[in-house]
Amino acid sequence: MKTAKNRKQSTARLIAAGSENSADLRYACGFQPTDPVVLLHTARERHLVVPMLELGRARNEAPTATVHTPGDLGLSPSDRRSLAAWTVAITKKTKTQRVRVDSFFPAGIMRALEAANVRVEIADDALYPEREIKSAKEIEFIAQSQRAAAQAMRAAVEEIRAAHVNRAGELVSGKKTLSSERLRQLIQIVLLKNDCDGKETIAACGRHAADPHHRGEGPLRAGETIVLDIFPQHLKTGYWGDITRTVVKGPASAALKRLYRAVLNAQRVAREMIKPGIRADQVHQNVARTLSSAGYQTKMRDGVPVGFFHGTGHGVGLSIHENPRVALASDVLRVGHVVTVEPGLYYPELGGVRIEDTVAVTKSGAKILAACPYTFEIK
Amino acid sequence: MKTAKNRKQSTARLIAAGSENSADLRYACGFQPTDPVVLLHTARERHLVVPMLELGRARNEAPTATVHTPGDLGLSPSDRRSLAAWTVAITKKTKTQRVRVDSFFPAGIMRALEAANVRVEIADDALYPEREIKSAKEIEFIAQSQRAAAQAMRAAVEEIRAAHVNRAGELVSGKKTLSSERLRQLIQIVLLKNDCDGKETIAACGRHAADPHHRGEGPLRAGETIVLDIFPQHLKTGYWGDITRTVVKGPASAALKRLYRAVLNAQRVAREMIKPGIRADQVHQNVARTLSSAGYQTKMRDGVPVGFFHGTGHGVGLSIHENPRVALASDVLRVGHVVTVEPGLYYPELGGVRIEDTVAVTKSGAKILAACPYTFEIK
């Protein structure tokens, strides 16, 4: 009799994904489709079902997979357009009676499989938990995106340095206002020149900087914090990088300098704690304690959270947010994990400060993947 | 007793989506989240459940929705991290016993809803079929992205025009080889300067151009077709554009000129047929007939399709590929549809030609959304 664990390992894994949500697919077989495809990954084989249009690319990019088209699977012309029909057909062809999928697997295909008497197990967590531990090659890919991010950061800091301040306190570069939008564009162009896409870059000033997910808009202003959060995905490898710096076009007030020092210190504390075997939630709780000991309270105020109210970090790889989490869950850090370290403090009346590096967990602790100065006050 | 149709209209629609697959979400409430959120859209109300971090942005961007956080819904700390728990909680709070989802809805959440006795109907086709018909404002948003694409196209054509040809027959611009990668970067920078992202731009030459999904790599060569397919998404509005031109750095052979003229003629035939009330499959079949009458056969050769083996077009909006399809399905075109018109011919020994415009269906026929010259041979 098989044990639950053996059964879990031998159950075929099934993915139905397009270019938008295909990190597992890329990991499992190397293929990055334009249109949705199906991958059935058994203990011994990988079966890809792709539209006729993707046949050539699939054969080239996924040499370890057996590539099928809907026509090969004997589907009727109308079923050839149904991803559910492809999926049922490939399970029949391979005599697969049980599959494992992740929780975001398409519900419509699950129903079709069940109607065809294929049992569908939904993985509690990741379908490819092995993605957490990165090989040396993967770490180099992440470092490559991280170096692009650091280069874009330096360009953004130089742009702010070169800007002057007009009477309204707004930054002006050349003859035009230096806005969040303009700085973001400058960052994105540097990323593109490094073969990276940085669509969701954050360049947020003042009260926008106090909202960690605000991407920023309008003129940048002197004397206010500017959060620059750059997280590019490499257009070829698919691996991400993630870096944040916070700067002020000076002079910065004493209150802002204190806020910055508290976050910088907490970030260093977290990096120094990271080593194989440590529980990530302990790192996170220590960061929270360090910030509150420095006098920065986390609480709800007028229905809005202030202080330190996000995780300390997250895994980075073929997804920008993946396991492990450096937060309240009790993940244990191991050699080959790549995580961000990004404490922050946010108060609407002051602004926001976040400082983030992406590090690899090595035997000797956290290794920063791309150096980038911790610039704060820019005069 | 309710009829099936009435019931369908009154069933609450449910979306669980992040930034990667949120066209319906954006359409239904205007919100574009970074992290996954849940929208329950009843006949009268929109309920959004968002992480605490998204609260401020959700309230601003989705003023028609009631915004909840996992904490508000009385969830335990561990359930606050579970999108399935959020979803079950919002159905309970609103006393919703039946929901409709699209076929890509997350399977894990469907199981959780069923376990909580919420009945889940999976829509056969789109969850928001009304997305097909665009308002004047939406058409202007698509035209805006289309103008950016046309501007990038002109820049790419000028770059090819300015290039010279070295002894190996490769294009050289400045002192460097003009490659697919370099031309794609130039296109992407023009798009960025127009607030658009063009991550998957195609700039494919020769035998790569003969594979409609190949993005292109390596040096561009004179005398071979270069397919430039530019489909940007506007970073603010989320609407896409889609345009393709095929050029040859001359001289082009007589065979390539004939191939080009056949596609250009088929594209014109399709545009002229488009009007309200026409069946899209008839447009498609007429394109196929026009190409085969010109002597270009579609068939399998050595296991690879050659000729015209993709649809004539697809809807464009908040998704790059959406309904209606101008292909074998019998969609009827209506005023407010926005579709691409993009016949192509592909033969590995010759190359590929595709010509594409995005048009709005108006009372008086197809209206091209952004003018762009039909340049072919570039000397």
Side-chain angles (χ1 to χ4, degrees):
Chain A
M1 213 179 97
K2 284 184 178 177
T3 64
K5 192 177 172 196
N6 280 340
R7 199 174 66 202
K8 185 174 165 187
Q9 287 171 340
S10 65
T11 302
R13 292 186 278 195
L14 179 67
I15 302 172
S19 66
E20 290 181 337
N21 52 350
S22 57
D24 273 345
L25 182 75
R26 195 160 188 163
Y27 185 83
C29 72
F31 187 45
Q32 186 66 0
T34 303
D35 295 329
V37 304
V38 172
L39 175 72
L40 181 72
H41 188 174
T42 69
R44 289 190 210 152
E45 296 170 321
R46 294 173 179 85
H47 292 275
L48 254 179
V49 190
V50 306
M52 183 58 86
L53 275 179
E54 299 274 24
L55 183 60
R57 282 182 56 230
R59 283 179 178 155
N60 281 333
E61 293 180 20
T64 60
T66 306
V67 183
H68 308 265
T69 62
D72 295 345
L73 294 172
L75 293 173
S76 70
S78 69
D79 275 354
R80 282 181 205 170
R81 292 193 293 274
S82 155
L83 207 59
W86 303 6
T87 311
V88 170
I90 193 66
T91 58
K92 290 226 167 114
K93 189 183 176 84
T94 56
K95 299 189 172 60
T96 302
Q97 292 173 317
R98 173 198 294 271
V99 294
R100 199 145 54 87
V101 302
D102 91 349
S103 63
F104 281 85
F105 187 81
I109 302 182
M110 182 168 80
R111 284 239 174 117
L113 287 166
E114 288 171 341
N117 292 315
V118 177
R119 183 154 164 194
V120 181
E121 293 175 12
I122 300 179
D124 286 336
D125 200 354
L127 190 61
Y128 285 83
E130 56 267 46
R131 269 178 54 195
E132 270 191 37
I133 301 297
K134 272 73 179 178
S135 67
K137 188 176 160 193
E138 289 182 287
I139 292 174
E140 174 48 28
F141 284 154
I142 300 167
Q144 185 180 26
S145 294
Q146 191 70 0
R147 287 191 297 268
Q151 188 182 326
M153 184 67 74
R154 284 189 290 266
V157 167
E158 285 317 306
E159 185 76 7
I160 293 170
R161 197 185 304 281
H164 70 270
V165 181
N166 70 13
R167 286 181 188 179
E170 295 170 358
L171 272 60
V172 176
S173 168
K175 293 193 173 177
K176 287 198 300 187
T177 301
L178 184 56
S179 62
S180 287
E181 292 84 350
R182 211 176 136 202
L183 194 63
R184 194 153 52 225
Q185 199 171 90
L186 179 150
I187 290 166
Q188 288 167 325
I189 290 174
V190 175
L191 294 177
L192 261 181
K193 290 185 173 169
N194 286 278
D195 292 322
C196 288
D197 184 84
K199 191 158 76 166
E200 301 190 62
T201 298
I202 291 172
C205 177
R207 72 192 158 78
H208 296 154
D211 176 347
H213 276 190
H214 202 296
R215 295 187 51 218
E217 58 190 41
L220 300 175
R221 288 176 303 278
E224 299 185 8
T225 55
I226 302 171
V227 169
L228 303 168
D229 188 346
I230 306 178
F231 44 110
Q233 184 181 29
H234 197 276
L235 289 165
K236 280 200 179 140
T237 71
Y239 285 84
W240 294 76
D242 199 352
I243 194 168
T244 305
R245 294 292 183 263
T246 301
V247 300
V248 170
K249 177 76 172 180
S253 67
L256 285 183
K257 285 180 184 167
R258 212 163 42 234
L259 190 71
Y260 184 81
R261 277 197 302 269
V263 176
L264 188 65
N265 180 52
Q267 207 250 7
R268 185 184 49 76
V269 164
R271 282 195 280 112
E272 289 177 0
M273 277 183 81
I274 287 175
K275 61 180 180 185
I278 198 164
R279 273 175 47 186
D281 60 333
Q282 292 180 345
V283 176
H284 177 64
Q285 281 167 345
N286 205 26
V287 165
R289 266 195 307 273
T290 303
L291 292 169
S292 71
S293 301
Y296 294 100
Q297 282 195 298
T298 296
K299 59 185 176 186
M300 293 298 287
R301 212 169 58 190
D302 307 326
V304 174
V306 298
F308 173 51
F309 48 84
H310 56 63
T312 294
H314 53 82
V316 173
L318 286 168
S319 297
I320 176 62
H321 296 129
E322 59 181 46
N323 289 333
R325 308 286 162 169
V326 187
L328 292 174
S330 54
D331 295 329
V332 173
L333 296 181
R334 288 182 287 160
V335 171
H337 275 156
V338 172
V339 295
T340 67
V341 185
E342 50 174 314
L345 285 171
Y346 311 89
Y347 297 94
E349 73 283 9
L350 266 176
V353 171
R354 183 166 64 258
I355 301 170
E356 174 186 38
D357 289 295
T358 298
V359 306
V361 180
T362 71
K363 277 183 202 165
S364 52
K367 185 189 164 197
I368 290 182
L369 292 183
C372 185
Y374 300 95
T375 307
F376 177 56
E377 193 175 19
I378 301 178
K379 288 179 181 164
Chain B
M1 212 179 99
K2 286 183 176 178
T3 63
K5 192 177 172 198
N6 280 340
R7 197 174 67 202
K8 186 176 163 186
Q9 285 170 342
S10 66
T11 302
R13 293 186 278 195
L14 179 67
I15 301 172
S19 65
E20 290 181 338
N21 51 350
S22 57
D24 273 344
L25 182 75
R26 196 160 187 161
Y27 185 83
C29 74
F31 187 44
Q32 185 66 358
T34 303
D35 295 328
V37 305
V38 172
L39 175 72
L40 182 72
H41 188 175
T42 69
R44 289 190 211 154
E45 297 170 319
R46 294 172 179 85
H47 292 275
L48 254 178
V49 190
V50 307
M52 182 58 84
L53 274 180
E54 300 273 24
L55 183 60
R57 281 182 57 229
R59 283 181 179 154
N60 281 334
E61 294 180 20
T64 60
T66 305
V67 182
H68 308 264
T69 61
D72 295 345
L73 294 173
L75 294 173
S76 69
S78 69
D79 276 354
R80 283 180 205 172
R81 292 193 293 273
S82 157
L83 207 59
W86 303 6
T87 311
V88 170
I90 193 66
T91 57
K92 290 227 166 112
K93 188 183 178 82
T94 56
K95 299 189 172 60
T96 303
Q97 291 173 317
R98 174 199 293 272
V99 295
R100 199 145 53 90
V101 302
D102 91 349
S103 64
F104 280 85
F105 187 81
I109 301 182
M110 180 168 80
R111 284 239 172 116
L113 287 166
E114 288 171 340
N117 292 315
V118 177
R119 185 154 161 194
V120 182
E121 292 174 14
I122 300 179
D124 285 338
D125 199 353
L127 189 62
Y128 285 83
E130 57 267 46
R131 269 179 53 195
E132 271 190 36
I133 301 297
K134 271 73 180 179
S135 68
K137 188 175 159 194
E138 288 182 288
I139 292 175
E140 174 47 30
F141 284 154
I142 299 167
Q144 185 180 28
S145 294
Q146 191 69 1
R147 288 192 296 269
Q151 188 182 325
M153 185 67 74
R154 284 190 289 268
V157 167
E158 285 317 306
E159 185 76 8
I160 293 170
R161 197 184 305 282
H164 70 270
V165 180
N166 69 15
R167 287 181 187 178
E170 295 170 358
L171 273 59
V172 176
S173 168
K175 293 195 171 176
K176 287 197 300 185
T177 302
L178 183 57
S179 61
S180 287
E181 291 84 349
R182 215 177 131 199
L183 194 62
R184 191 151 56 224
Q185 199 171 92
L186 179 149
I187 290 166
Q188 288 166 325
I189 289 174
V190 176
L191 295 177
L192 260 182
K193 288 183 174 171
N194 286 279
D195 292 322
C196 288
D197 183 84
K199 191 157 78 165
E200 300 191 63
T201 298
I202 292 173
C205 177
R207 71 192 159 76
H208 296 152
D211 176 349
H213 275 190
H214 202 297
R215 295 187 51 220
E217 57 188 42
L220 300 175
R221 287 175 304 277
E224 301 186 9
T225 56
I226 302 171
V227 170
L228 301 168
D229 188 346
I230 306 179
F231 43 111
Q233 184 181 29
H234 197 277
L235 289 165
K236 279 199 181 142
T237 71
Y239 285 84
W240 294 76
D242 199 353
I243 194 169
T244 305
R245 293 292 183 265
T246 301
V247 300
V248 170
K249 177 76 173 179
S253 67
L256 285 184
K257 285 180 184 167
R258 210 160 45 234
L259 190 71
Y260 184 80
R261 277 198 301 269
V263 176
L264 187 64
N265 179 52
Q267 208 251 5
R268 186 184 48 75
V269 164
R271 280 195 281 114
E272 289 176 0
M273 277 184 80
I274 287 176
K275 60 179 180 184
I278 197 163
R279 271 176 48 185
D281 58 333
Q282 292 179 345
V283 177
H284 176 64
Q285 280 166 348
N286 205 25
V287 164
R289 266 194 307 274
T290 303
L291 292 169
S292 71
S293 302
Y296 294 100
Q297 282 196 296
T298 296
K299 59 185 176 185
M300 293 296 289
R301 209 168 62 191
D302 307 327
V304 174
V306 300
F308 174 50
F309 49 84
H310 56 64
T312 293
H314 53 81
V316 173
L318 286 168
S319 295
I320 176 62
H321 296 128
E322 59 182 46
N323 289 332
R325 308 286 163 172
V326 187
L328 292 175
S330 53
D331 295 328
V332 173
L333 295 182
R334 288 182 287 159
V335 171
H337 275 155
V338 173
V339 296
T340 66
V341 186
E342 51 173 314
L345 284 171
Y346 311 89
Y347 297 94
E349 71 283 10
L350 266 176
V353 171
R354 183 166 63 258
I355 301 172
E356 173 185 38
D357 289 296
T358 298
V359 306
V361 180
T362 71
K363 278 182 200 164
S364 52
K367 185 188 165 200
I368 289 184
L369 292 184
C372 185
Y374 299 95
T375 307
F376 177 58
E377 194 176 20
I378 301 177
K379 286 176 179 166

